[in-house]
Amino acid sequence: MIVNDNIDTCRHFPAPPWPSGRLPIAYLLAAIALIGCQRSPELAEFSGSYPDRASPNGTTREFQVVAAASKVPLFDGRPFEVWAYNEQVPGPAFRVRLGETIRVTFTNKLPQPTTIHWHGVRVPNAMDGVPGVTQPPIQPGETFVYEFTPKDAGTFWFHPHLRSSEQVERGLFGALIVEDEEPPPYSRDELWVIDDWLLTREGTLYEEFNTRHDLAHDGRWGNLITVNGQRTPRLMVRPGERVRLRLLNVANGRVFAPDLSALDAKVIAVDGLYAARPLSPAGFELAPGNRLDLDIRVPSDADGQRFTIFDRFTRQVIPLAEITVSGEPVTTPQFESPARAHVPAWKRPEEATPLRATFRLNARSGGPFGIQWTINDEVMDHATHALPHHRQHLPIGEFSRLRFTNESYRLHPMHIHGMFFKVLARNGVAVDEPHFRDTALIHSKESVDIGTVPTDVGKWMLHCHILEHAESGMMTVVEVN
Ligand code: C2O
Ligand code: CU
């Protein structure tokens, strides 16, 4: 049950009974507040989308995470030098139920400082893992405890937020799967962590990061694509099964466009949250940071068949993974698709919902890497953690319309921490995506309008999820209060 009646502009209102001595003043203040307390149509429509606070059920799930240099059998099984969480690449996939509290005791055994950011999870600001903004960097040898209760069920992930173009590329990423209080009875629930690696001729990781080439393009694109650390792995299923398949793109820069047309597959969730209805996967782009949850029905007469899922983002068609059907058919679980969330339409035009802010995306020469990526002509300085001068303010519990204007020819998957948003328009033309996101791909020279209702106070990062772009400056802060 989703309720968020307490998200509205009127909630800061003192509740009666008024303190007796101050009665007349309290009434006067209340009356003044009431005049300015008209819920906007956007806010009224938003009501019921997702809760503004967590509902802890009293259970705490404890996890230990250690980041360290390791050797893991990857790709062809030969030991490969990585940096890993708990000696695994991909890192652990933690599964919890909605309502449970997560306590992660994290120890940094890397040769450099780090933090953990919980991508897409609406956490208290102090748990967001942004060095110099929400916490000091976690130095080598230090331990930090992350603790929070997720407010939303869905597919989320975690990764470092310090030197992330190097740390994520070396293998530091894991998944956080928050199951519904009563998960729909899928035959199986699988996760595909999609990544690419830039390898040398000798098959080791290419250890120059943030190169001029990466910066001048769409970040670091690898020459080997893996799913769950393997090249074109095979998922074995039985005829008749109904599979929930969670796709997660952890690549530094590469965008995937998974071709699922060979399958009976529907998108049920985007960036964690359920969509308003099951959607065709055609046309979905999986940019760095994005997740897609699929509802796949394996035909009951498909014994012996193989379905290959290809990436078609570039002209080179690349096989990602395979689904192989074999065995005795099972009865297909019948249940209504979980994709029936309340998603506001937010259809009023720009005149009625004026922009609160515009973020212009561009590049210039300079900085430690020779090229800097800018937001409104400013860069985030990661060496000093100095926050950009012009911090955008977003009022909590109110609707804001924001615009990304890509003045460059490169791709920018723009991500905002601590909130979900909905794409409202592309190049001035209204679009109706029946789902929220936390990362939206802004194409070359494109302008994209989004709408959001922030639910949590704090300093939240807004940045490009092409990690080289973020590292060279394309990051800013929005302040919600
Ligand atoms: Cu996936 Cu600022 O993060
Ligand atoms: Cu970018």
Side-chain angles (χ1 to χ4, degrees), residues 13-36:
F13 228 68
W18 311 112
S20 51
R22 303 214 187 120
L23 193 103
I25 300 170
Y27 271 112
L28 184 65
L29 289 174
I32 292 168
L34 264 172
I35 296 167

Short mmCIF file of all heavy atoms in Angstrom, two decimals, residues 13-36:
data_model
loop_
_atom_site.label_atom_id
_atom_site.label_comp_id
_atom_site.label_asym_id
_atom_site.label_seq_id
_atom_site.Cartn_x
_atom_site.Cartn_y
_atom_site.Cartn_z
N PHE A 13 2.75 22.66 8.88
CA PHE A 13 1.74 23.29 9.67
C PHE A 13 1.66 22.77 11.07
O PHE A 13 1.59 21.58 11.27
CB PHE A 13 0.48 22.84 8.97
CG PHE A 13 -0.36 23.92 8.75
CD1 PHE A 13 0.01 24.90 7.86
CD2 PHE A 13 -1.52 24.01 9.48
CE1 PHE A 13 -0.81 25.92 7.67
CE2 PHE A 13 -2.32 25.07 9.26
CZ PHE A 13 -1.98 26.01 8.37
N PRO A 14 1.68 23.62 12.09
CA PRO A 14 1.53 23.09 13.45
C PRO A 14 0.13 22.48 13.62
O PRO A 14 -0.84 23.06 13.14
CB PRO A 14 1.70 24.32 14.33
CG PRO A 14 1.46 25.50 13.45
CD PRO A 14 1.73 25.08 12.04
N ALA A 15 0.09 21.33 14.26
CA ALA A 15 -1.22 20.68 14.41
C ALA A 15 -1.87 21.14 15.70
O ALA A 15 -1.19 21.35 16.70
CB ALA A 15 -1.03 19.16 14.44
N PRO A 16 -3.18 21.31 15.71
CA PRO A 16 -3.86 21.66 16.96
C PRO A 16 -3.73 20.50 17.94
O PRO A 16 -3.48 19.39 17.50
CB PRO A 16 -5.32 21.89 16.55
CG PRO A 16 -5.44 21.35 15.16
CD PRO A 16 -4.08 21.13 14.60
N PRO A 17 -3.89 20.63 19.25
CA PRO A 17 -4.24 21.91 19.90
C PRO A 17 -3.05 22.87 19.97
O PRO A 17 -1.93 22.45 20.17
CB PRO A 17 -4.65 21.48 21.30
CG PRO A 17 -3.89 20.21 21.54
CD PRO A 17 -3.75 19.54 20.22
N TRP A 18 -3.34 24.13 19.75
CA TRP A 18 -2.28 25.14 19.82
C TRP A 18 -1.85 25.32 21.25
O TRP A 18 -2.65 25.19 22.16
CB TRP A 18 -2.81 26.49 19.28
CG TRP A 18 -3.51 26.36 17.98
CD1 TRP A 18 -4.83 26.55 17.76
CD2 TRP A 18 -2.93 26.02 16.74
NE1 TRP A 18 -5.12 26.34 16.44
CE2 TRP A 18 -3.96 26.02 15.79
CE3 TRP A 18 -1.64 25.72 16.32
CZ2 TRP A 18 -3.75 25.72 14.45
CZ3 TRP A 18 -1.44 25.43 14.99
CH2 TRP A 18 -2.47 25.43 14.08
N PRO A 19 -0.58 25.65 21.46
CA PRO A 19 -0.14 25.98 22.82
C PRO A 19 -0.96 27.16 23.35
O PRO A 19 -1.09 28.17 22.66
CB PRO A 19 1.34 26.37 22.65
CG PRO A 19 1.66 26.29 21.20
CD PRO A 19 0.47 25.77 20.47
N SER A 20 -1.57 26.97 24.53
CA SER A 20 -2.65 27.86 24.97
C SER A 20 -2.28 29.35 24.98
O SER A 20 -3.00 30.17 24.44
CB SER A 20 -3.13 27.44 26.36
OG SER A 20 -2.00 27.34 27.20
N GLY A 21 -1.12 29.68 25.53
CA GLY A 21 -0.77 31.09 25.68
C GLY A 21 -0.62 31.80 24.34
O GLY A 21 -0.84 33.00 24.24
N ARG A 22 -0.25 31.05 23.28
CA ARG A 22 0.07 31.71 22.01
C ARG A 22 -1.06 31.56 21.00
O ARG A 22 -0.86 31.70 19.82
CB ARG A 22 1.31 31.06 21.41
CG ARG A 22 2.48 31.11 22.34
CD ARG A 22 3.76 31.27 21.54
NE ARG A 22 4.90 31.16 22.42
CZ ARG A 22 5.83 30.22 22.28
NH1 ARG A 22 5.75 29.36 21.29
NH2 ARG A 22 6.85 30.19 23.10
N LEU A 23 -2.22 31.26 21.52
CA LEU A 23 -3.32 30.90 20.62
C LEU A 23 -3.57 31.89 19.49
O LEU A 23 -3.58 31.49 18.33
CB LEU A 23 -4.58 30.66 21.44
CG LEU A 23 -5.70 30.00 20.65
CD1 LEU A 23 -5.78 28.52 20.99
CD2 LEU A 23 -7.01 30.68 20.95
N PRO A 24 -3.72 33.17 19.80
CA PRO A 24 -4.05 34.08 18.69
C PRO A 24 -2.95 34.15 17.63
O PRO A 24 -3.24 34.12 16.45
CB PRO A 24 -4.21 35.44 19.39
CG PRO A 24 -4.28 35.16 20.84
CD PRO A 24 -3.58 33.87 21.06
N ILE A 25 -1.69 34.16 18.07
CA ILE A 25 -0.58 34.24 17.11
C ILE A 25 -0.54 32.99 16.25
O ILE A 25 -0.39 33.05 15.04
CB ILE A 25 0.76 34.43 17.85
CG1 ILE A 25 0.71 35.73 18.65
CG2 ILE A 25 1.93 34.45 16.88
CD1 ILE A 25 1.85 35.91 19.60
N ALA A 26 -0.74 31.83 16.91
CA ALA A 26 -0.72 30.58 16.15
C ALA A 26 -1.80 30.57 15.08
O ALA A 26 -1.56 30.17 13.94
CB ALA A 26 -0.91 29.41 17.11
N TYR A 27 -2.98 31.06 15.43
CA TYR A 27 -4.06 31.10 14.44
C TYR A 27 -3.74 32.03 13.29
O TYR A 27 -4.00 31.72 12.14
CB TYR A 27 -5.39 31.52 15.10
CG TYR A 27 -6.14 30.32 15.62
CD1 TYR A 27 -6.32 30.11 16.98
CD2 TYR A 27 -6.66 29.39 14.71
CE1 TYR A 27 -6.98 28.99 17.44
CE2 TYR A 27 -7.31 28.26 15.17
CZ TYR A 27 -7.48 28.07 16.55
OH TYR A 27 -8.12 26.96 16.99
N LEU A 28 -3.13 33.17 13.65
CA LEU A 28 -2.77 34.13 12.63
C LEU A 28 -1.77 33.51 11.65
O LEU A 28 -1.93 33.57 10.43
CB LEU A 28 -2.18 35.38 13.30
CG LEU A 28 -1.83 36.52 12.33
CD1 LEU A 28 -3.12 37.05 11.68
CD2 LEU A 28 -1.12 37.64 13.08
N LEU A 29 -0.73 32.86 12.22
CA LEU A 29 0.28 32.22 11.38
C LEU A 29 -0.34 31.15 10.50
O LEU A 29 -0.03 31.02 9.32
CB LEU A 29 1.38 31.60 12.24
CG LEU A 29 2.31 32.60 12.94
CD1 LEU A 29 3.26 31.87 13.88
CD2 LEU A 29 3.09 33.40 11.91
N ALA A 30 -1.24 30.38 11.11
CA ALA A 30 -1.89 29.31 10.36
C ALA A 30 -2.69 29.89 9.21
O ALA A 30 -2.65 29.36 8.09
CB ALA A 30 -2.80 28.51 11.29
N ALA A 31 -3.36 30.98 9.46
CA ALA A 31 -4.18 31.59 8.42
C ALA A 31 -3.30 32.08 7.27
O ALA A 31 -3.61 31.87 6.10
CB ALA A 31 -4.98 32.75 9.00
N ILE A 32 -2.16 32.68 7.64
CA ILE A 32 -1.25 33.16 6.59
C ILE A 32 -0.74 31.98 5.77
O ILE A 32 -0.70 32.02 4.55
CB ILE A 32 -0.07 33.94 7.22
CG1 ILE A 32 -0.59 35.24 7.84
CG2 ILE A 32 1.01 34.24 6.19
CD1 ILE A 32 0.42 35.94 8.74
N ALA A 33 -0.35 30.92 6.49
CA ALA A 33 0.17 29.75 5.80
C ALA A 33 -0.87 29.13 4.87
O ALA A 33 -0.56 28.71 3.75
CB ALA A 33 0.64 28.71 6.82
N LEU A 34 -2.13 29.12 5.33
CA LEU A 34 -3.20 28.53 4.52
C LEU A 34 -3.37 29.23 3.18
O LEU A 34 -3.61 28.60 2.16
CB LEU A 34 -4.53 28.60 5.28
CG LEU A 34 -4.90 27.35 6.05
CD1 LEU A 34 -6.13 27.62 6.91
CD2 LEU A 34 -5.17 26.19 5.10
N ILE A 35 -3.18 30.56 3.20
CA ILE A 35 -3.35 31.31 1.97
C ILE A 35 -2.35 30.83 0.92
O ILE A 35 -2.67 30.64 -0.23
CB ILE A 35 -3.16 32.84 2.23
CG1 ILE A 35 -4.28 33.31 3.16
CG2 ILE A 35 -3.18 33.62 0.92
CD1 ILE A 35 -4.05 34.69 3.75
N GLY A 36 -1.10 30.59 1.39
CA GLY A 36 -0.07 30.13 0.45
C GLY A 36 -0.05 28.62 0.32
O GLY A 36 0.88 28.05 -0.20
#
